Amino acid sequence: MIIPMTDIERKLTEDHLSIVAKVIQTLTCGCRYVSYDERQDLLQIGNLALCKAAMNYDGNRPFETYAKVVIRNAIYDYWRSLQKERTYTCSMDAIADNETDTSYQQLLADTSSLQNLEQEHNLRSIYEYLQTLQNVNCTTIKKGIQALLLQQNGYTSQEISKHYGVPASHVRAWKSKARKYLQQDATLYTLLS
């Protein structure tokens, strides 16, 4: 069911359209290349999230701050859904070289278990590599990587800050430093691609 926007909500959305581009720029600044199609998808998701923010806005806080959070979360949700839909493939020649008795039909019929195995292997490799990075780096980067892993498991900066007994701003700073460090790591980039 489509709920139409009121004139006030429409005006609020139109006045703050520039927020979407700013949030997308912030989220993708560390990416080496974002294609035109990907950027258009993000703009569409961001604009829809801006409309949703305008429709749910209660007026108790500044709209721009509220809208940025809604847009950022919508983009994160989109990226998570893409990650879940991602499929892994291998060449038929590689399967043919395998000395097992498994036929193409059996392998193709059971692609979900192959995908799960490959995803599990990739995630394990990434996690193990992050563990080695934690052991090698300074305390701030180590805490930042730990905080990013906790965030990936659903913990908020507030919850992580309570765990460490520090303000949430410290946790955000650790995560920021760790992200910058990890974005420059070629091995991690290879594992993620």
Side-chain angles (χ1 to χ4, degrees):
M1 176 178 175
I2 298 174
I3 301 173
M5 294 176 74
T6 64
D7 291 336
I8 296 170
E9 294 167 347
R10 189 174 293 112
K11 175 80 170 117
L12 194 59
T13 302
E14 290 170 357
D15 291 345
H16 293 88
L17 277 173
S18 62
I19 295 174
V20 176
K22 290 177 187 175
V23 171
I24 291 171
Q25 179 62 34
T26 303
L27 293 176
T28 60
C29 68
C31 300
R32 293 182 186 217
Y33 176 74
V34 179
S35 72
Y36 175 79
D37 291 338
E38 291 169 324
R39 189 164 301 279
Q40 291 303 311
D41 287 346
L42 294 178
L43 279 170
Q44 182 179 6
I45 290 162
N47 288 331
L48 289 172
L50 180 63
C51 292
K52 179 181 175 184
M55 293 173 74
N56 294 327
Y57 183 57
D58 59 7
N60 292 335
R61 56 188 167 258
F63 178 73
E64 187 170 336
T65 306
Y66 172 67
K68 284 180 181 178
V69 171
V70 172
I71 293 166
R72 186 179 65 229
N73 289 340
I75 291 172
Y76 285 155
D77 288 343
Y78 170 71
W79 283 338
R80 284 186 200 106
S81 70
L82 285 181
Q83 185 64 28
K84 287 179 184 176
E85 293 172 5
R86 185 177 174 190
T87 58
Y88 296 93
T89 59
C90 63
S91 71
M92 296 300 270
D93 294 332
I95 295 172
D97 291 341
N98 194 349
E99 295 295 326
T100 64
D101 295 326
T102 309
S103 68
Y104 289 127
Q105 291 80 13
Q106 291 170 329
L107 287 172
L108 293 175
D110 196 19
T111 55
S112 62
S113 65
L114 288 175
Q115 290 174 354
N116 291 340
L117 287 173
E118 189 165 356
Q119 286 175 344
E120 184 181 319
H121 174 71
N122 289 343
L123 290 174
R124 192 176 325 115
S125 300
I126 292 168
Y127 183 76
E128 289 170 359
Y129 184 69
L130 287 174
Q131 292 295 325
T132 59
L133 287 178
Q134 277 183 337
N135 297 331
V136 172
N137 290 298
C138 70
T139 307
T140 305
I141 300 293
K142 181 177 182 176
K143 287 180 182 176
I145 293 172
Q146 289 172 347
L148 288 171
L149 289 171
L150 288 171
Q151 181 183 0
Q152 192 65 24
N153 289 328
Y155 291 94
T156 64
S157 293
Q158 291 290 342
E159 293 169 334
I160 297 169
S161 68
K162 288 178 185 176
H163 172 72
Y164 284 106
V166 297
S169 59
H170 285 87
V171 174
R172 287 191 293 274
W174 296 341
K175 291 192 296 188
S176 176
K177 287 180 182 179
R179 275 191 207 101
K180 288 178 184 175
Y181 175 81
L182 293 173
Q183 286 173 351
Q184 298 171 359
D185 191 288
T187 307
L188 182 62
Y189 181 78
T190 304
L191 287 171
L192 290 171
S193 60

